[in-house]
Amino acid sequence: MALPVAFASSEPLDAGSLSTAPIRLPRPSRLAAPLPGASDLGPRAARALETLGLHTVGELLEHLPRARGEARTVATLRRGETATVLVEVQRIDTRSVRRRGMKPRVAATVADATGSMEVSFFNQPWLAQRYPPRTRLLLTVRTDERGRVSVTAHAPTDLQVAADAQVAQYPASEGIDSTRILALMREHRDAIADTLEPLPARLRTRERLPDRPAALAALHFPGSEDDAEGGRRRLAFDELLLVQLALLRRRARRERAAAAPSLDAERDLTKRWLESGLPFPLTDDQANALEDIDLDLSQTHPMQRLLMGEVGSGKTVVALFALLRAVEQGWQGALMAPTETLAEQHFATIQALMPGEAVPAALLTGSTTASRRQDVLGKLANGELSLVVGTHALIEPDVEFARLAVAVVDEQHRFGVRQRAALDAKGPAGGDEQLTPHVLHMTATPIPRTLALVEHGDLDHTVLKQLPRGRRPIETHVAGGERERERAYERIREELRAGRQAFVVCPLVEESETLQAKAARAEFERLRDTEFKDFRVVLMHGQLRPREKQEAMAAFAAGGADVLVATSVIEVGIDVPNASVMLVEDAERYGISQLHQLRGRIGRGEHPSLCLLFGPKDSARLKALAAHRDGFELAHIDLRLRREGELIGTRQHGLAQFKIAQLPDDEALLERARVRAAALLDADPELAAPEHALLAAALADAYGPEAAAKIAA
Ligand code: ADP
Ligand code: MG
């Protein structure tokens, strides 16, 4: 250990000052000391600590305040407010209860340097003995409109508080309130110096972060709001750094453990295809995605890339490129989609996108006939088939590939970890080691970068933001009330008369598909017989037989129907460029991203499009949809609205794992944590160096030794 030096210099201290210097070495073992038990605190408070998961001093110090209030003086208390004061008891006694049913009351005179006041404690007659005169108390008091002061929380304390200091407010529990916790915290304030600093000194100074004990002290005993925020940011950084370390270490381990065929030959088939086979030029985003993928595929460890792009952004071309890179180098490619409809659609799109290229390809789903399936399996196993598109049917145990090198997983979140692992296991045996295919994961649900870094932080990311040229912006309005409804139908009829087509989306009925189908049928009949009686109206919902669905879809797609009344089943899998209007009933029942996906069904042709959302005009979500077209922007807003929702108790996504960090607000901090985590692991992949020992321990503590358990793949 370095010798202590004189303040702000590198001169060693002389023997005299050394012997009198207030040196304290942290003693982490003291953090393991148990908190006072029932005999000191009373049984209710002891149980409450138990409920809060607070058993040791260390755990107490990690119990962070949720908010801060101002400590006040007696002189500045105002009527009608609740505040915390530090006072001394001057006189205290029990008032006799005159009538039955009246609450026993203890009355006390308490004072601080600014003045004294009368306060009452109800229902706790024993306090007169517990708080004799001269006891120092931390009181949270409520002053009513007539100036009477009652105590809502109290705890003895022997510490001083500056009159205008901030006072931490803690998550409390039945049996122990925030004030009592604060008093306990004060008792154990010294132990803050015993907490460990997990960050290497160099990182901490470069990030200009306070040390961990200082950050904890600032949160528990803030001198000012700024102090507290500085402390919070430091602890939030720790949280974010740990999650990024866990994710990046998992990725690095996977890269070291798994080998993939390196696909680094010159473009051949793909070159021809891009130059003359594709009916359109690539968007810049698509071209960049191709570059990313090319580089990934040339590596000897498997690609793990997430391709994010909303509906219509042209992901299929990118997927096909990855597959064809395998094919042109003598390997096989597979595309797996979550539903048969999607698989069929992909298969059709892929064939349409490859005119003139003779690539042996097949479709394999649950409805593939047994004999056809036998044929496909045989040809996948002997390598005759280069390309296969399918559903879960692709990962059944008896499906064998001769040389699978690239797999694309569409709507990846709809597959489980095990299913993705099953796909990985279809890779070829290369010499004496098993090779793992390169995997491109795709999603049409845009997620903001903050969420992507946390939920998919172990994948590389590529985003398709631009929509292919020619895509028309969609005008979106929120409509409510009868007059607007009339106008909306008239507007739709105008479009229909001009030869366009329209979607009417029925309300989401979460409880039951049957109810939903029933509602859709009723609305279909109503519209067919009234508003759109001069037009051809068809119905589509999840309870129809597959053949009926196909017929309705085919009729609409071919222009044989003008209006498609549907439940949200049209969310995926329909491409009708002539459809230019969409009306969504009870739109506020749908989530932002769902509405955005639905809306993506129009604006696909040459005509300007219109989306009418029926719902409350003041709905923040509907307003966001009317104002924004960019799916990522909307996802960001969604996240914000949901965070606000969380305060009233609807936590629903990966960000909930953080105690301190607040995303998306802490996005910049997250980005820095990610960079730091990457650099740390670059230099020391297993955090084995002595200066990383405490960090490695914190990581194991948070995410287990494998750093995998708590993180979704
Ligand atoms: P996604 O799967 O991302 O929803 P698709 O790959 O199905 O989108 O593409 C949507 C439509 O846009 C398809 O008809 C496709 O052929 C077309 N498309 C894709 N890329 C381009 C492009 N660069 N220029 C013009 N049209 C494109
Ligand atoms: Mg698609």
Side-chain angles (χ1 to χ4, degrees):
M1 219 195 90
L3 274 180
V5 292
F7 185 68
S9 88
S10 54
E11 292 297 305
L13 287 170
D14 59 46
S17 26
L18 250 185
S19 62
T20 55
I23 301 176
R24 286 191 78 249
L25 295 179
R27 285 195 294 150
S29 60
R30 293 210 307 194
L31 296 172
L35 287 173
S39 53
D40 291 310
L41 296 173
R44 286 188 68 224
R47 259 201 315 277
L49 287 181
E50 192 78 21
T51 312
L52 291 169
L54 307 180
H55 311 95
T56 64
V57 171
E59 283 165 352
L60 175 73
L61 296 177
E62 297 290 333
H63 188 65
L64 299 176
R66 177 174 48 199
R68 281 164 298 280
E70 206 142 294
R72 303 288 289 277
T73 55
V74 169
T76 59
L77 287 180
R78 280 189 295 266
R79 294 183 176 196
E81 73 170 9
T82 297
T84 301
V85 288
L86 180 79
V87 293
E88 194 178 280
V89 177
Q90 297 187 318
R91 181 191 56 80
I92 189 161
D93 51 47
T94 312
R95 294 291 150 92
S96 59
V97 179
R98 269 171 280 138
R99 260 185 284 134
R100 269 170 66 100
M102 252 182 84
K103 293 179 186 170
R105 183 165 78 96
V106 169
T109 308
V110 297
D112 65 8
T114 67
S116 71
M117 62 181 175
E118 289 289 317
V119 299
S120 301
F121 300 86
F122 291 103
N123 276 333
Q124 304 160 85
W126 58 86
L127 290 182
Q129 269 70 52
R130 189 180 297 167
Y131 297 153
R134 320 265 322 236
T135 310
R136 294 185 67 78
L137 292 177
L138 204 48
L139 298 182
T140 300
V141 294
R142 157 130 195 105
T143 310
D144 72 12
E145 295 303 336
R146 290 159 63 183
R148 289 177 307 199
V149 184
S150 54
V151 176
T152 59
H154 53 89
T157 177
D158 49 7
L159 283 131
Q160 311 284 335
V161 190
D164 57 352
Q166 300 274 317
V167 177
Q169 287 164 1
Y170 294 92
S173 172
E174 180 78 34
I176 194 158
D177 55 45
S178 172
T179 310
R180 197 80 186 273
I181 295 175
L182 178 56
L184 262 181
M185 212 62 86
R186 289 182 176 284
E187 240 170 77
H188 295 283
R189 183 176 192 155
D190 282 355
I192 287 182
D194 294 326
T195 55
L196 294 170
E197 171 55 78
L199 296 186
R202 203 137 57 110
L203 193 167
R204 193 170 66 70
T205 41
R206 285 208 186 139
E207 286 293 331
R208 297 160 185 266
L209 292 166
D211 63 36
R212 190 167 171 91
L216 279 173
L219 269 174
H220 289 303
F221 311 107
S224 69
E225 192 61 35
D226 285 353
D227 277 8
E229 173 56 18
R232 189 199 68 80
R233 285 173 57 78
R234 157 62 213 254
L235 299 183
F237 183 84
D238 287 14
E239 267 187 336
L240 297 169
L241 182 74
L242 289 181
V243 75
Q244 290 307 317
L245 281 171
L247 289 163
L248 291 174
R249 186 169 71 173
R250 184 161 74 182
R251 173 164 89 175
R253 283 177 175 170
R254 192 168 55 203
E255 282 180 3
R256 288 197 301 271
S262 158
L263 305 177
D264 56 359
E266 289 290 305
R267 291 180 184 180
D268 171 34
L269 167 75
T270 45
K271 186 158 182 282
R272 270 201 321 272
W273 174 62
L274 290 173
E275 281 168 2
S276 52
L278 262 190
F280 42 70
L282 296 177
T283 64
D284 290 348
D285 280 354
Q286 283 172 323
N288 289 336
L290 263 46
E291 295 300 326
D292 286 348
I293 289 171
D294 237 353
L295 188 60
D296 288 351
L297 296 180
S298 70
Q299 310 290 311
T300 52
H301 58 79
M303 165 169 79
Q304 286 288 341
R305 185 170 289 279
L306 178 64
L307 178 65
M308 288 180 273
E310 43 184 307
V311 173
S313 59
K315 293 185 293 298
T316 317
V317 176
V318 178
L320 185 52
F321 172 81
L323 297 167
L324 291 179
R325 282 295 281 152
V327 172
E328 71 185 336
Q329 298 178 57
W331 297 84
Q332 291 169 305
L335 190 162
M336 182 163 76
T339 66
E340 289 194 10
T341 322
L342 271 178
E344 281 161 19
Q345 197 190 337
H346 274 305
F347 190 60
T349 313
I350 283 180
Q351 287 182 317
L353 284 174
M354 288 194 305
E357 295 293 350
V359 174
L363 181 69
L364 185 66
T365 70
S367 335
T368 307
T369 60
S371 63
R372 173 84 186 125
R373 180 167 189 274
Q374 274 321 308
D375 184 46
V376 171
L377 293 201
K379 288 178 173 161
L380 282 175
N382 69 20
E384 261 181 70
L385 269 176
S386 306
L387 245 183
V388 66
V389 177
T391 54
H392 300 78
L394 288 177
I395 49 174
E396 277 167 25
D398 58 341
V399 180
E400 279 174 38
F401 290 84
R403 290 162 65 73
L404 179 64
V406 173
V408 177
V409 181
D410 193 21
E411 298 297 326
Q412 58 90 30
H413 56 279
R414 295 180 56 181
F415 291 97
V417 177
R418 213 175 289 157
Q419 291 165 324
R420 278 176 263 164
L423 190 61
D424 275 356
K426 301 284 183 200
D432 46 11
E433 84 181 317
Q434 171 78 21
L435 293 177
T436 303
H438 297 282
V439 182
L440 181 68
H441 307 264
M442 303 203 291
T443 177
T445 311
I447 41 180
R449 182 165 162 81
T450 42
L451 199 54
L453 276 183
V454 172
E455 294 200 332
H456 306 292
D458 58 341
L459 304 178
D460 294 306
H461 300 171
T462 294
V463 176
L464 301 183
K465 275 206 158 193
Q466 299 164 310
L467 292 185
R469 241 185 297 282
R471 202 44 66 79
R472 288 306 194 107
I474 302 164
E475 207 184 304
T476 301
H477 296 289
V478 183
E482 282 313 301
R483 291 264 317 276
E484 289 192 345
R485 179 172 284 274
E486 281 311 305
R487 273 223 303 274
Y489 288 132
E490 185 46 41
R491 188 73 187 72
I492 294 175
R493 285 190 292 265
E494 265 169 40
E495 289 286 317
L496 299 179
R497 280 184 220 114
R500 305 287 87 75
Q501 290 164 282
F503 293 104
V504 173
V505 182
C506 298
L508 189 67
V509 185
E510 307 246 19
E511 307 83 65
S512 126
E513 274 204 34
T514 322
L515 281 184
Q516 176 145 350
K518 216 174 136 200
R521 170 161 297 282
E523 181 66 0
F524 158 71
E525 286 168 0
R526 185 182 79 81
L527 292 174
R528 182 193 59 190
D529 299 338
T530 60
E531 303 292 349
F532 303 134
K533 63 179 186 303
D534 301 332
F535 302 93
R536 296 160 300 174
V537 186
V538 288
L539 171 67
M540 168 87 172
H541 60 67
Q543 303 252 295
L544 293 178
R545 273 187 288 265
R547 219 186 39 135
E548 293 173 306
K549 271 192 237 176
Q550 264 166 20
E551 277 170 12
M553 283 311 235
F556 191 68
D562 304 301
V563 180
L564 180 71
V565 178
T567 54
S568 56
V569 291
I570 56 165
E571 201 178 333
V572 287
I574 181 168
D575 189 3
V576 182
N578 190 47
S580 63
V581 206
M582 174 174 287
L583 185 164
V584 184
E585 292 284 356
D586 280 353
E588 76 280 7
R589 294 207 192 177
Y590 291 92
I592 284 189
S593 71
Q594 219 177 351
L595 286 169
H596 183 63
Q597 294 254 14
L598 278 170
R599 174 170 72 172
R601 299 290 126 210
I602 55 174
R604 298 170 82 89
E606 62 202 286
H607 311 287
S609 289
L610 176 69
C611 176
L612 299 163
L613 303 175
F614 278 9
K617 293 216 160 193
D618 56 356
S619 153
R621 285 186 292 143
L622 300 189
K623 279 200 276 199
L625 277 152
H628 299 276
R629 298 182 184 131
D630 176 352
F632 287 90
E633 181 74 27
L634 283 167
H636 199 79
I637 295 174
D638 194 23
L639 194 57
R640 241 175 233 294
L641 293 174
R642 284 207 229 171
R643 259 208 77 83
E644 288 164 19
E646 264 176 28
L647 299 176
I648 50 172
T650 51
R651 327 197 95 199
Q652 39 191 332
H653 50 70
L655 300 183
Q657 66 180 291
F658 298 116
K659 258 172 38 185
I660 308 155
Q662 293 180 347
L663 294 170
D665 303 1
D666 282 330
E667 177 164 13
L669 206 58
L670 172 63
E671 295 282 359
R672 288 195 350 237
R674 174 133 179 127
V675 171
R676 292 293 175 195
L680 277 166
L681 291 175
D682 245 11
D684 182 9
E686 290 296 324
L687 299 178
E691 69 268 32
H692 296 150
L694 293 177
L695 191 57
L699 185 60
D701 214 32
Y703 294 103
E706 291 309 310
K710 292 190 194 169
I711 317 166

